[in-house]
Amino acid sequence: MRVMVVGSGAREHALVWKLKSSPNVSHIFVAPGNGGTDQIATNLPIAAEDINTLALAAARFQIDLTIVGSEVPLALGIVNKFQQSGLLIFGPSKESARLESSKSFARTLMTKYGIPGPEYRIFNNYSDGYKFLSNHEGPLVVKADGLAGGKGAIVCVDQEASINALYDCMEDKVFGTAGSTVVVEEYLEGKEISVFAFSDGEHVSSLVVASDYKRLLDGNRGPNTGGMGSFTPVPEWGSDFASEVRSRVMMPVIEGMAEQGYPYKGVLYAGLMVKDNEFKVLEFNCRFGDPETQVLMPIMESDLLDVVISSIEGRLNLKPVKWRQKASVGVVVASRGYPGNYRKGQVIYGLDQIDLPALAFHAGTARDKEHPERLVAVGGRVLTVVCSAETLEEARDSAYENIGHIEFNGSHFRKDIAHPYVEPQKKGVSQQHG
Ligand code: AMP
Ligand code: GLY
């Protein structure tokens, strides 16, 4: 099959890398891709959001199957568009992707189907929200309903902060129409984990878990980022926990979506807050996680193409999705200044010294225009260096040993990923998002 992957991050590079090992994949296109995907596939210079041009390209290049990495094209209806054009695509429809693109939709569905989550209220105008917040001290989480580039959930330590956040969303419209509806949630403490399953609209695959370190600096300090590292498995994850998450979260969502008339096909990603062996759903995402995918693809035993096709064809129940019993650690190398402004065009050295089983999945990299043999950093998150091994310690040590070879002016990475004393996302009320 000729396959196209939509996106340009290290997540998409990891998906392409995994697809390359599938015997039934003959050619891979990536739109728009990056300097890493360029080396193992054909990059097409089409933005992930440009769903009409992507559909035209799929027809023109005789692409048999498209796999979508990021949420924006899904929320824009790329799956609906491709299906209308008779093109095969993996991911949820625009309506099903509301599990991520509308937090009020997701919370309402969770309540209807008894899925554990925080207390919440939905507001469609500022004055109702203001009245509610005036009677609540906090801490609370104020969330823009729609997609806001990962910045729409604002953890508010007190009443003043939550009223300000509500004002920003609904009156100042800092997130545009994404903030026209706001969800106000009880603030949950605990440890965050990311759980993934494939679904074909009816069946749910085995689950797999990973962590995500969202803060920029060691010790979970500094601003929130798109993710600075990840590891799998996490200590809490055992077979009892997995089967509880499956029966109390994943199955009810899939059954609920089908019952509502929006069967969910694709990857379902639940962000859970875990405390004292209890868990609640923080959010649903309608796609693979970044940087979790970078640590999961190297330990996926099943053929990704096979799983995707089974999911599209509604037969995920016939063959289990298998994961190797291994640990995997990924560390993100970022540009100095990220998540704020950063310089572009720094030459990256040492990529040829990354030794298997370590891998470097690219995000913000591109070929240098004047010296095409060189790669330069062009994004905030530049690479994820990943290693899998028998134990978490081995995987971590090897990932760090390999990352030591990478050098570019202003490169920065966290030194404490998968360190036993630094939990990925331990909540304290001083933490701010957005
Ligand atoms: P979301 O935009 O819903 O994906 O949330 C983004 C991040 O905000 C999560 O990964 C959590 O770190 C934090 N968060 C969201 N909801 C809550 C909550 N109810 N309590 C505490 N933290 C939350
Ligand atoms: N791991 C966070 C995300 O993919 O949204």
Side-chain angles (χ1 to χ4, degrees), residues 189-195 207-213 231-245 272-280 392 419-427:
E189 287 197 37
K191 195 175 148 183
E192 278 187 65
I193 59 170
S194 308
V195 181
L207 311 188
V208 67
V209 72
S211 68
D212 175 7
Y213 290 77
F231 69 85
T232 184
V234 303
E236 290 74 13
W237 195 249
S239 54
D240 290 352
F241 199 87
S243 71
E244 223 190 309
V245 174
L272 306 183
M273 188 68 91
V274 185
K275 196 179 176 202
D276 303 330
N277 275 327
E278 287 293 313
F279 60 83
K280 289 185 176 170
L392 217 42
H419 190 284
Y421 306 111
V422 186
E423 291 182 344
Q425 190 84 339
K426 184 93 180 160
K427 285 279 162 190

Side-chain angles (χ1 to χ4, degrees), residues 103 141 143 153 185-186 188 192 214 282-283 427 433:
K103 292 184 195 301
V141 186
K143 296 183 172 182
E185 293 181 5
E186 168 197 4
L188 300 175
E192 278 187 65
K214 292 199 164 82
L282 287 176
E283 52 167 336
K427 285 279 162 190
H433 290 269

Side-chain angles (χ1 to χ4, degrees), residues 348-354 402 405-407:
I348 306 168
Y349 299 99
L351 280 164
D352 52 347
Q353 289 178 55
I354 302 284
N402 278 279
H405 301 311
I406 306 269
E407 240 187 85

Side-chain angles (χ1 to χ4, degrees), residues 22 29 32 40-41 81 101 139 155 213 296 319 391 398:
S22 173
F29 296 86
I40 57 171
K81 170 78 199 167
S101 68
V155 177
Y213 290 77
L296 292 172
K319 200 167 163 191
T391 68
S398 175

Side-chain angles (χ1 to χ4, degrees), residues 52-302:
N52 292 328
T53 309
L54 288 169
L56 291 174
R60 159 134 198 252
F61 294 108
Q62 296 170 331
I63 288 164
D64 301 301
L65 166 71
T66 298
I67 298 176
V68 186
S70 68
E71 65 278 13
V72 176
L74 292 167
L76 289 172
I78 191 172
V79 170
N80 310 52
K81 170 78 199 167
F82 271 53
Q83 285 174 346
Q84 282 154 15
S85 311
L87 297 160
L88 199 63
I89 185 162
F90 174 66
S93 66
K94 181 178 183 165
E95 294 73 26
S96 303
R98 280 181 299 168
L99 273 180
E100 176 166 1
S101 68
S102 169
K103 292 184 195 301
S104 59
F105 174 86
R107 284 286 175 231
T108 308
L109 187 102
M110 282 185 246
T111 303
K112 186 167 166 65
Y113 293 96
I115 296 162
E119 296 290 323
Y120 70 91
R121 291 282 299 269
I122 297 168
F123 298 103
N124 293 310
N125 65 67
Y126 178 73
S127 66
D128 288 350
Y130 181 83
K131 259 186 244 152
F132 175 83
L133 292 178
S134 301
N135 291 315
H136 287 80
E137 286 297 319
L140 289 169
V141 186
V142 174
K143 296 183 172 182
D145 186 58
L147 296 182
K151 295 191 188 303
I154 306 153
V155 177
C156 303
V157 283
D158 56 22
Q159 195 172 55
E160 189 187 350
S162 50
I163 290 175
N164 280 336
L166 184 79
Y167 192 90
D168 287 348
C169 284
M170 301 197 98
E171 297 288 297
D172 265 358
K173 303 191 192 316
V174 296
F175 304 118
T177 53
S180 308
T181 296
V182 160
V183 182
V184 174
E185 293 181 5
E186 168 197 4
Y187 172 80
L188 300 175
E189 287 197 37
K191 195 175 148 183
E192 278 187 65
I193 59 170
S194 308
V195 181
F196 300 89
F198 292 87
S199 176
D200 60 11
E202 185 185 352
H203 312 102
V204 175
S205 73
S206 57
L207 311 188
V208 67
V209 72
S211 68
D212 175 7
Y213 290 77
K214 292 199 164 82
R215 302 283 220 107
L216 180 71
L217 304 173
D218 288 7
N220 293 332
R221 293 172 304 113
N224 229 19
T225 70
M228 295 301 292
S230 181
F231 69 85
T232 184
V234 303
E236 290 74 13
W237 195 249
S239 54
D240 290 352
F241 199 87
S243 71
E244 223 190 309
V245 174
R246 189 188 164 77
S247 63
R248 292 181 58 204
V249 178
M250 298 310 208
M251 285 308 303
V253 173
I254 297 306
E255 284 164 11
M257 290 295 282
E259 199 176 288
Q260 301 291 304
Y262 314 115
Y264 187 96
K265 289 187 176 211
V267 172
L268 181 60
Y269 162 176
L272 306 183
M273 188 68 91
V274 185
K275 196 179 176 202
D276 303 330
N277 275 327
E278 287 293 313
F279 60 83
K280 289 185 176 170
V281 176
L282 287 176
E283 52 167 336
F284 283 115
N285 295 318
C286 61
R287 45 157 178 99
F288 293 99
D290 189 339
E292 293 94 328
T293 304
Q294 294 90 299
V295 298
L296 292 172
M297 285 303 116
I299 61 156
M300 186 177 189
E301 191 176 323
S302 298

